[in-house]
């Protein structure tokens, strides 16, 4: 089956682009906006609308396969590629990819994805968002050419077994961490609530706000849960604020984490990004050290790596050093989805927890494709996306996995 044409369309993503550095340095929350001066290259405001690009591949039998280019909320931070603006990158996609893909004979996904993901254009690789969307489209194209589900294509080419049950979904609250937590509890989501503790103000100068939130959340779960046996994972994203609160003193951070674990009262506790540094090596060292401190104190909390864990090579490096207990495989940051597939499998083969993540700033299409990756590779959990509203993202992810289950039963 050949690709006979390629089309692009600009779109919105499910959330916003936020200048993370500005939020930490000068920005002040103002409703759903931020007042302040952007400091990361490309930003015109501290918060601006998220953008996407659909890549549509027309096959010779008339079918259209598509995937969505998307970049993370905090683009340009932590070693990531710059801001992804549709009007800037559609011409790049047309110039770089169209000549390569139009006329291409689809034999298998792995070969096609490698071709696009490694493509050199004007002295470097294509933006991660482009590689992300293009490889989604290629997976869809191969599935349509072979008359199989995307999950089945992955399963066959990577020698995996499609899961017989839904992968646990982790939902995101955004700043509306109380009302959105209620939605999660009522729907019985397996992991919650993210929380968006991305400033010292939110976490508290001594961590008191985060601790109070965990105490409230634990009580709230018991108070309004619908399912009697509901025992979710409490997964909190802290955006490095504990490093600032406790001046990077690892023993003090670990002691504080012990208090959070006590407040969780028997529920599993995952802490994402408790410390953030300014380099890959620094981040690997920081999370490795914190993991060791927590384990030495007998804590059962799981440290989740996010920042600087951006590529397949980074996944290997974090895993080798046992930097944290779980790695977020942040799908848009890895470029081609072939890298996300390999990353899940590498973590599982080397005793590291694999969390197939991503960003609230994706689209429904990239989320659906990621559910096929999840069902074919069985990570420990998958991120609910796009958006921060809970209901829509949870529905998209849950329903897609249920369709895969029904069709592969």
């Amino acid at each position: 089956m050949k690709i006979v044409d390629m089309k692009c369309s600009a779109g919105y993503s499910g959330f916003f682009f936020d200048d993370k550095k500005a939020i930490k340095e000068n920005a002040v929350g103002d409703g759903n906006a931020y007042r302040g001066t952007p400091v990361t290259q490309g930003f015109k405001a501290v918060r601006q609308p998220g953008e996407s690009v659909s890549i549509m591949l027309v096959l010779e039998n008339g079918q259209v396969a598509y995937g969505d280019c998307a970049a993370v909320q905090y683009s340009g931070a932590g070693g990531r590629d710059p801001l992804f603006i549709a009007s800037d990158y559609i011409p790049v996609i047309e110039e770089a990819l169209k000549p390569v893909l139009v006329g291409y004979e689809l034999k298998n996904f792995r070969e096609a994805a490698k071709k696009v993901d490694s493509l050199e254009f004007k002295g470097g690789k294509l933006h991660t968002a482009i590689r992300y969307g293009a490889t989604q489209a290629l997976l869809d194209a191969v599935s349509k050419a072979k008359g199989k589900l995307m999950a089945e294509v992955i399963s066959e080419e990577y020698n995996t077994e499609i899961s017989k049950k839904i992968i646990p979904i982790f939902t995101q609250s955004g700043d509306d961490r109380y009302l959105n937590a209620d939605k999660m509890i009522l729907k019985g989501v397996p992991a919650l609530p993210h929380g968006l503790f991305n400033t010292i103000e939110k976490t508290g100068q001594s961590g008191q706000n985060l601790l109070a939130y965990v105490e409230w959340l634990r009580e709230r779960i018991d108070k309004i849960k619908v399912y009697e046996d509901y025992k979710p994972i409490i997964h909190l994203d802290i955006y490095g604020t504990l490093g600032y609160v406790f001046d990077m003193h690892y023993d003090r951070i670990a002691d504080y984490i012990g208090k959070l674990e006590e407040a969780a009262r028997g529920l599993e506790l995952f802490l994402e990004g408790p410390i953030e540094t300014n380099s890959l090596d620094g981040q690997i060292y920081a999370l490795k050290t914190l993991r060791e401190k927590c384990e030495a104190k007998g804590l059962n909390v799981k440290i989740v790596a996010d920042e600087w864990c951006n590529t397949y090579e980074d996944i290997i490096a974090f895993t080798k050093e046992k930097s944290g207990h779980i790695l977020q495989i942040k799908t848009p940051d890895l470029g081609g989805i072939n890298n996300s597939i390999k990353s899940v499998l590498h973590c599982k083969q080397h005793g590291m927890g694999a969390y197939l993540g991503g960003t609230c700033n994706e689209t429904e299409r990239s989320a659906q494709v990621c559910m096929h990756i999840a069902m074919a590779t069985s990570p420990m959990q998958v991120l609910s996306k796009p958006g921060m509203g809970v209901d829509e993202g949870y529905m998209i992810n849950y329903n897609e996995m249920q369709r895969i289950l029904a069709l592969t039963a």
Side-chain angles (χ1 to χ4, degrees), residues 373-385:
I373 296 172
M375 291 296 286
T377 60
S378 296
M380 64 186 302
Q381 70 178 34
V382 65
L383 179 67
S384 176
K385 56 189 182 181

Side-chain angles (χ1 to χ4, degrees), residues 155-402:
S155 175
E156 288 180 3
E157 294 194 20
Y158 290 86
N159 194 29
T160 66
E161 184 177 346
I162 295 175
S163 177
K164 300 295 191 299
K165 60 183 180 180
I166 281 182
I167 306 301
I169 300 172
F170 166 47
T171 45
Q172 302 181 90
S173 67
D175 278 319
D176 202 355
R177 60 186 63 85
Y178 292 94
L179 287 177
N180 276 340
D182 278 2
K183 294 182 183 181
M184 299 170 189
I185 297 165
L186 291 171
K187 291 192 173 183
V189 302
L192 77 168
H194 182 264
L196 198 68
F197 288 90
N198 61 348
T199 66
I200 294 176
E201 179 185 20
K202 293 175 186 176
T203 300
Q205 291 291 337
S206 61
Q208 75 277 10
N209 296 342
L210 177 59
L211 180 60
Y213 179 75
V214 174
E215 291 170 343
W216 172 85
L217 181 64
R218 187 63 184 88
E219 292 175 4
R220 194 66 174 167
I221 290 167
D222 284 341
K223 185 175 182 180
I224 70 168
K225 64 183 180 182
V226 174
Y227 308 104
E228 193 60 34
D229 60 348
Y230 179 53
K231 293 183 178 180
I233 294 166
I234 295 178
H235 183 146
L236 298 160
D237 198 345
I238 314 174
Y239 294 86
T241 55
L242 295 188
Y244 294 99
V245 167
F246 297 103
D247 298 319
M248 291 298 288
H249 193 290
Y250 291 99
D251 280 306
R252 291 174 62 200
I253 296 171
D255 286 341
Y256 173 78
I257 288 173
K259 294 179 182 179
L260 294 178
E261 187 171 87
E262 288 178 14
R265 288 192 285 115
L267 294 182
E268 277 196 272
L269 180 64
F270 293 1
L271 297 180
E272 184 172 342
I275 300 171
E276 290 180 8
T277 71
N278 294 319
S279 70
L280 171 61
D281 289 343
Q283 190 69 9
I284 289 173
Y285 172 81
L287 296 191
K288 177 182 180 179
T289 303
L290 185 58
R291 175 188 61 78
E292 291 171 345
K293 293 288 186 182
C294 288
E295 289 176 354
K297 294 177 184 291
L299 303 180
N300 293 314
V301 67
K302 298 293 187 291
I303 304 299
V304 183
D306 178 4
E307 291 300 291
W308 293 102
C309 193
N310 300 330
T311 67
Y312 177 58
E313 291 72 26
D314 295 341
I315 297 288
I316 293 172
F318 273 78
T319 300
K320 182 179 179 181
E321 295 298 320
K322 300 190 185 305
S323 183
H325 301 91
I326 301 166
L327 303 186
Q328 183 187 174
I329 297 159
K330 205 152 192 169
T331 50
D333 284 340
L334 273 80
I337 58 170
N338 51 317
N339 297 318
S340 293
I341 295 166
K342 291 192 301 180
S343 294
V344 173
L345 299 179
H346 181 84
C347 287
K348 291 175 66 178
Q349 289 164 4
H350 293 86
M352 178 66 79
Y355 152 37
L356 188 68
T359 175
C360 54
N361 198 43
E362 295 190 50
T363 71
E364 85 292 345
R365 183 53 177 170
S366 64
Q368 288 169 336
V369 175
C370 284
M371 294 310 104
H372 284 262
I373 296 172
M375 291 296 286
T377 60
S378 296
M380 64 186 302
Q381 70 178 34
V382 65
L383 179 67
S384 176
K385 56 189 182 181
M388 289 282 199
V390 180
D391 300 301
E392 300 83 357
Y394 190 66
M395 172 193 68
I396 289 167
N397 293 264
Y398 183 89
N399 292 359
E400 188 69 14
M401 285 195 281
Q402 286 283 31

